[in-house]
Amino acid sequence: MKFFVDTADVADIAELAATGLLDGVTTNPSLIHKSGRPFLAVVKEICGIVDGPVSAEVVATDYENMLREADIVRKLADNVCVKLPLTMDGLKACRKLTSEGTMVNVTLCFSATQALLAAKAGATFISPFVGRHDDVGFNGMDLIEDIRLIYDNYDFTTEILVASVRHPVHVLEAAKIGADVMTAPPAVMRALAKHPLTDRGLEQFLADWAKTGETIG
Ligand code: E4P
C-alpha cells in the first residue's frame, strides 16, 4: 500500500519524506489556502521534495479551461499529477491528459459508478473520500470495497487512492480491502506509529538499561 500525505505544508512533507515511508503527496485548493503560499510555487517545491506523484488540483470547471490550467501545472515537474473533479468535463479532460501521458487523480468521488467512469476515462488514481462519506451517515469503506470489486472484475489499472482519511482505523480498513494508496493528514500518518504499550515498554527497557551502567559503543 502506498502512503501519500494530504497537505501543502512543506515542513511536514520534508519531515515525513525523510523517513523513507512517503510515496507521494496530495493537495487541494483548501490545503493550498491553509499553506498561505502561492499555488504554483508551493507545488513546485513539493515536487522537489518527494519523488512520487504530487497531486495539484485545477480550479476551472469547464473542459477547455481545465486543460489550459492542467498544461500550466504539468509543466512544473515530471512528478506532477493533475487533479480533476469527478464531473463530465473532468472525465473528458482526464481522458485527454492521460492519453498524452500525464498522470491524473480524479477527485471528489462518492459513488462506485463515478469510480467506474473514472477508470474508463483512464484515470491514474481515483480518490473516494471516506471521511466525508462517513460524515453524512454512509460507510465510506463500503464504497472502497465496491470499487475494489469492480476494478478487479475488469482488470482496471486505475489505482484506488483512499482520501479524506481521518484516523488510523480508516488506514487499517483500507489496507484490509486492498486499496492501492491512502492519503492522510500528517497527524494521522504519525499516529499510525503510536501505541501506548510501545511507549510503556520502551520506558521500562531504558530504565532497566540505565541500571546496568553500560553504554553501547
Ligand atoms: C484528497 O485528495 C483530499 O485532499 C482530502 O483527502 C480531503 O480530505 P478532507 O475531507 O479531510 O478535507
Side-chain angles (χ1 to χ4, degrees):
M1 187 187 215
K2 293 176 204 164
F3 278 17
F4 291 1
V5 67
D6 197 31
T7 185
D9 183 316
V10 292
D12 272 330
I13 294 167
E15 187 187 313
L16 289 165
T19 65
L21 297 170
L22 194 62
D23 302 298
V25 176
T26 52
T27 68
N28 63 40
S30 304
L31 293 170
I32 296 293
H33 173 64
K34 194 172 163 193
S35 78
R37 298 195 43 203
F39 173 55
L40 297 177
V42 76
V43 169
K44 195 172 170 63
E45 186 174 344
I46 295 168
C47 288
I49 299 172
V50 296
D51 294 332
V54 175
S55 290
E57 191 161 343
V58 302
V59 290
T61 55
D62 65 286
Y63 174 72
E64 296 297 341
N65 282 307
M66 280 177 175
L67 290 186
R68 186 181 56 76
E69 291 180 359
D71 201 41
I72 295 167
V73 167
R74 70 180 169 180
K75 285 184 178 131
L76 289 172
D78 288 344
N79 56 334
V80 164
C81 177
V82 175
K83 210 173 182 191
L84 299 169
L86 209 154
T87 60
M88 275 301 181
D89 283 61
L91 293 169
K92 186 176 168 189
C94 174
R95 165 59 68 204
K96 169 90 172 121
L97 290 168
T98 54
S99 72
E100 293 169 356
T102 298
M103 288 188 286
V104 172
N105 176 358
V106 176
T107 190
L108 290 167
C109 171
F110 291 93
S111 80
T113 47
Q114 286 181 317
L116 178 55
L117 286 174
K120 286 182 70 64
T124 316
F125 301 102
I126 181 68
S127 287
F129 278 35
V130 293
R132 293 191 195 188
H133 216 88
D134 293 353
D135 290 345
V136 293
F138 294 91
N139 182 348
M141 285 300 152
D142 288 348
L143 176 59
I144 304 305
E145 274 184 4
D146 285 351
I147 299 171
R148 181 75 281 159
L149 177 69
I150 292 167
Y151 281 13
D152 289 350
N153 279 349
Y154 298 99
D155 291 330
F156 283 123
T157 55
T158 298
E159 295 189 39
I160 303 172
L161 195 175
V162 178
S164 190
V165 162
R166 302 274 168 78
H167 48 71
V169 176
H170 274 150
V171 181
L172 173 67
E173 290 175 347
K176 283 161 81 175
I177 293 166
D180 303 286
V181 193
M182 73 88 198
T183 189
V188 175
M189 293 275 284
R190 294 187 183 104
L192 293 172
K194 297 292 287 180
H195 196 289
L197 292 181
T198 303
D199 295 343
R200 199 189 306 169
L202 183 59
E203 198 180 314
Q204 181 68 56
F205 285 158
L206 293 180
D208 288 341
W209 177 255
K211 290 177 208 157
T212 70
E214 287 195 64
T215 54
I216 300 174

